[in-house]
Amino acid sequence: MDGLTYDEVGATAGEMPPGFHHVRAQRVIGHGPADFVRAADALLAGEAQRRAGARVELSETPMREGTRVTMRLGLGILSFRIPCLVVWAERTDTSVGFAYGTLRGHPERGEERFTLTLHPSGEVVFAIAAFSAPGRWFTRVGAPVGRLVQAWMTRRYLRAL
């Protein structure tokens, strides 16, 4: 996939690569097929990112492999452009998700995966897996701040659906 800033495409699906910061988080967001369908539609429309506070542009909706996602966080001159490419997407009757990888210009290098699962118990579980490393000079210098921002955004994503 042209333009990605990392080689480990798809690693959020299993064992994540060494040398990166790893994130795994999940929460129950609903119960039953209606909650699952509602959340699935929102997820593939970029609503987790929007509701978490990012300005989001998608090259197509619903997201699928190859969709370009451009987000912006911050205000004015402190606004960051965050370009990504969807490297995996899938939707079945009981699971839905996508993963996007970083493109040139993204403050980080790595991948983030968002999945929803409708369990046999009826619980709808939203899970996030990510690996990342600083991708720009300012994220290398401010790496501890970057980890705090990532943790904050992960919590916001999980509450967004």
Side-chain angles (χ1 to χ4, degrees):
M1 300 196 138
D2 288 343
L4 293 172
T5 59
Y6 66 104
D7 295 326
E8 301 83 352
V9 175
T12 52
E15 186 175 337
M16 291 196 272
F20 289 86
H21 175 71
H22 299 166
V23 172
R24 287 197 188 276
Q26 68 178 32
R27 75 182 281 260
V28 175
I29 63 163
H31 194 272
D35 284 350
F36 173 76
V37 169
R38 175 195 49 78
D41 291 344
L43 181 67
L44 293 178
E47 290 303 314
Q49 289 73 16
R50 278 190 192 91
R51 294 174 188 172
R55 292 182 302 282
V56 180
E57 294 177 25
L58 303 175
S59 64
E60 60 195 317
T61 305
M63 283 187 261
R64 64 178 182 83
E65 188 173 319
T67 298
R68 291 194 172 266
V69 179
T70 304
M71 295 175 284
R72 291 194 82 73
L73 280 176
L75 298 171
I77 62 170
L78 296 178
S79 178
F80 295 98
R81 183 174 170 270
I82 305 169
C84 299
L85 180 68
V86 175
V87 297
W88 167 82
E90 179 178 272
R91 185 168 188 166
T92 70
D93 292 339
T94 58
S95 68
V96 63
F98 72 92
Y100 52 44
T102 57
L103 294 169
R104 284 185 217 54
H106 194 294
E108 300 280 328
R109 291 184 311 108
E111 186 175 287
E112 194 161 25
R113 178 176 293 251
F114 302 85
T115 57
L116 287 168
T117 305
L118 175 59
H119 288 273
S121 67
E123 286 186 331
V124 179
V125 177
F126 184 24
I128 298 172
F131 62 88
S132 62
R136 310 269 301 274
W137 69 268
F138 57 86
T139 50
R140 281 189 289 281
V141 170
V145 173
R147 296 295 153 246
L148 290 174
V149 170
Q150 185 177 36
W152 177 70
M153 286 303 292
T154 298
R155 287 190 303 275
R156 290 180 63 89
Y157 289 150
L158 288 172
R159 289 192 307 263
L161 295 181

